[in-house]
């Protein structure tokens, strides 16, 4: 299982972190160990002093593929959910300043949370999907798939030019503006449309 992540896929988020709006998808990956397992508590990592949560729509790959054409890409994923890409922002800023990879800031154990899967239907694929994150019952981040710079199908096709996609792989499709810091004791809840997809507390 591979975890693909797309960075800077919403214009406002790219700008809020002082990044240029990309001309092609920014891809990074996480190992399987980055995925927080169900019923496992999330602990604030000891190596950061600035933990940020980034809520995203996540796709589930359902068919093996390579060099997928964009017009056929929708056949290669069949589920969507909401997840969090946790980021050690202080470490990421240090790495970016030195021109180094982001793994220490993004890919550590349990840095990735996904909610329950919803099967994608033809109706889902043609409609924009609303999603959001609440922290301590307060709305802190929201987005819509129609706001993405690169669509689901484009992302799937693009990734497949470089990496084989396999059944069970997941793709984080990017976070909208509004990322923010989390502290011990915060309660996070992610929604897709009006349905709660996950809840977790930071310990």
């Amino acid at each position: 299982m591979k975890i693909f992540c797309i960075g800077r896929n919403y214009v406002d988020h790219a700008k809020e972190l002082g990044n240029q709006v990309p001309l092609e998808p920014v891809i990074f990956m996480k190992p399987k160990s980055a995925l927080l397992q169900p019923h496992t508590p999330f602990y604030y990592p000891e190596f950061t002093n600035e933990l940020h949560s980034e809520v995203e729509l996540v796709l589930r790959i359902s068919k093996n593929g390579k060099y997928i054409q964009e017009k056929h890409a929708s056949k290669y994923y069949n589920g969507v959910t909401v997840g969090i890409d946790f980021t050690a922002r202080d470490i990421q800023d240090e790495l970016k300043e030195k021109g180094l990879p982001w793994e220490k800031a993004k890919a550590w154990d349990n840095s990735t949370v996904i909610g329950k899967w919803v099967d994608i239907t033809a109706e889902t694929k043609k409609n924009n999907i609303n999603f959001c994150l609440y922290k301590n019952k307060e709305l802190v981040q929201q987005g819509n798939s129609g706001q993405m710079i690169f669509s689901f199908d484009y992302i799937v096709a693009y990734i497949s030019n470089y990496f084989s996609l396999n059944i069970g792989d997941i793709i984080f499709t990017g976070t909208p503006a509004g990322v923010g810091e989390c502290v011990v004791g915060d309660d996070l809840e992610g929604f897709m449309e009006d349905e709660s997809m996950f809840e977790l507390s930071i310990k």
Side-chain angles (χ1 to χ4, degrees):
M1 173 195 159
K2 301 184 290 296
I3 303 171
F4 296 98
C5 302
I6 304 297
R8 306 172 189 170
N9 199 22
Y10 291 79
V11 172
D12 289 345
H13 171 61
K15 290 180 177 178
E16 76 178 343
L17 294 184
N19 297 314
Q20 292 184 337
V21 177
L23 299 177
E24 58 184 272
V26 176
I27 303 173
F28 62 95
M29 296 176 67
K30 298 190 179 197
K32 184 178 180 180
S33 57
L35 189 63
L36 184 72
Q37 296 302 308
H39 313 299
T40 302
F42 178 86
Y43 292 100
Y44 195 108
E46 71 281 359
F47 48 78
T48 180
N49 294 309
E50 190 179 0
L51 180 68
H52 281 202
S53 59
E54 301 183 3
V55 70
E56 311 192 16
L57 290 172
V58 187
L59 299 179
R60 180 181 64 200
I61 298 299
S62 58
K63 184 178 178 182
N64 296 333
K66 178 74 172 169
Y67 300 118
I68 300 164
Q69 295 181 33
E70 185 178 353
K71 64 183 180 181
H72 299 309
S74 63
K75 299 175 182 177
Y76 288 82
Y77 57 94
N78 67 355
V80 64
T81 189
V82 175
I84 291 182
D85 166 25
F86 279 108
T87 303
R89 189 70 70 199
D90 49 352
I91 294 177
Q92 187 189 35
D93 288 344
E94 292 174 9
L95 294 169
K96 285 167 62 177
E97 189 174 331
K98 297 174 182 177
L100 296 174
W102 298 350
E103 276 80 1
K104 283 200 302 184
K106 289 275 195 179
W108 34 274
D109 289 357
N110 301 328
S111 61
T112 310
V113 174
I114 58 172
K116 58 187 178 183
W117 291 106
V118 174
D119 290 338
I120 291 181
T121 63
E123 192 68 22
T124 309
K125 287 178 180 175
K126 65 184 181 184
N127 286 338
N128 294 331
I129 302 172
N130 293 302
F131 64 104
C132 63
L133 180 69
Y134 282 80
K135 181 171 70 175
N136 304 324
K137 305 299 183 183
E138 179 182 346
L139 180 65
V140 292
Q141 201 177 3
Q142 60 183 332
N144 180 284
S145 58
Q147 300 167 337
M148 296 194 304
I149 299 169
F150 306 107
S151 68
F152 289 165
D153 290 353
Y154 187 92
I155 289 169
V156 169
Y158 185 87
I159 289 174
S160 75
N161 286 326
Y162 300 90
F163 309 95
S164 295
L165 288 172
N166 300 111
I167 296 170
D169 289 348
I170 62 176
I171 301 174
F172 277 68
T173 60
T175 193
V179 300
E181 189 169 359
C182 302
V183 296
V184 174
D186 280 346
D187 294 314
L188 303 177
E189 186 172 10
F191 284 82
M192 189 166 68
E193 299 298 346
D194 297 323
E195 184 175 2
S196 176
M197 307 302 285
F198 67 81
E199 290 184 72
L200 69 85
S201 297
I202 298 179
K203 299 185 180 299

